[in-house]
Amino acid sequence: MGEKKLPIALSNRHLHLSQEHIEILFGEGYELNKFKDLSQPGQFAAQEKVDLVGPKGTLKGVRVLGPARPNTQIEISLTDGFVLGVTPPVRDSGDVAGSPAVKIVGPKGEVQLKEGVLAASRHIHMHTDDAEKFGVEDKQRVKVRTTGERAVVFENVLVRVHPTFALEMHVDIDEGNAAGIKNGELVELITE
């Protein structure tokens, strides 16, 4: 069996907003404006940025990703958590129950979250065809080996399979920098 290679990307701090929160932060009836497309089809980095205010400090100019989601979710690194004064749990996207709260400040208003801040678990987006090729299933946990001077093996990597996904692994900025990873680098999926 040959090597199973896929691209990896570093995910910097960002947030997904509900339409309700978009309108509070940017104005009634507001729609996000595309800055650039992301690797996942239909997803984009918006032109809009907000400030996140925690009990200890503020992160200014945090990028909003679109389109609007059913629920607001903020994804930061553990290092960002130190700046804000919160401890984000490492969790799969969407699992925000009991996570820390911060205030989101936009040009037209503010939203005080009750929960919603996390450090996203490392994960792989896979199209259904890729999952078949790699011999993995949705929600399976795998290992991924990097190369280079600071090579590591990432364990407990969540595989997310969907017919609209494009093949790419995501790690947060702390993990990526620690392993000396560059966006688009190829890494090896390991199944045991």
Side-chain angles (χ1 to χ4, degrees):
M1 180 155 67
E3 289 185 347
K4 300 175 180 178
K5 299 282 190 175
L6 66 148
I8 190 169
L10 283 68
S11 180
N12 204 351
R13 67 180 74 106
H14 63 273
L15 68 162
H16 304 277
L17 293 171
S18 66
Q19 186 59 40
E20 175 191 3
H21 289 165
I22 290 170
E23 294 189 24
I24 292 169
L25 295 166
F26 297 100
E28 190 176 334
Y30 195 87
E31 298 286 332
L32 295 174
N33 296 289
K34 188 185 296 185
F35 172 66
K36 69 175 183 176
D37 286 319
L38 298 176
S39 62
Q40 296 308 306
Q43 303 294 306
F44 61 91
Q47 291 176 12
E48 291 74 15
K49 295 179 182 179
V50 296
D51 295 342
L52 304 179
V53 181
K56 186 177 160 193
T58 300
L59 292 172
K60 293 195 162 292
V62 178
R63 178 86 56 196
V64 176
L65 300 187
R69 295 244 179 129
N71 299 300
T72 293
Q73 173 177 298
I74 297 170
E75 297 180 31
I76 63 173
S77 69
L78 298 178
T79 301
D80 290 334
F82 295 131
V83 172
L84 291 172
V86 299
T87 304
V90 177
R91 295 209 185 138
D92 299 339
S93 182
D95 182 8
V96 298
S99 62
V102 297
K103 181 166 58 175
I104 307 170
V105 179
K108 302 280 188 185
E110 300 177 352
V111 173
Q112 178 61 57
L113 292 182
K114 292 182 175 64
E115 60 187 14
V117 180
L118 56 85
S121 299
R122 53 184 78 119
H123 60 277
I124 301 170
H125 292 273
M126 277 196 188
H127 186 276
T128 45
D129 293 343
D130 294 315
E132 189 175 319
K133 182 176 90 173
F134 284 89
V136 296
E137 297 176 353
D138 188 44
K139 296 188 174 65
Q140 184 174 340
R141 301 279 174 169
V142 297
K143 296 179 182 180
V144 173
R145 179 181 294 121
T146 70
T147 58
E149 197 173 335
R150 301 187 87 185
V152 299
V153 173
F154 288 113
E155 300 202 20
N156 198 28
V157 181
L158 174 68
V159 175
R160 296 176 54 204
V161 179
H162 194 273
T164 64
F165 286 168
L167 183 63
E168 189 171 66
M169 179 176 173
H170 292 162
V171 295
D172 76 21
I173 203 88
D174 284 352
E175 292 178 299
N177 285 337
I181 292 167
K182 299 203 177 2
N183 284 326
E185 220 170 271
L186 292 180
V187 294
E188 181 186 359
L189 184 134
I190 304 166
T191 53
E192 297 173 339

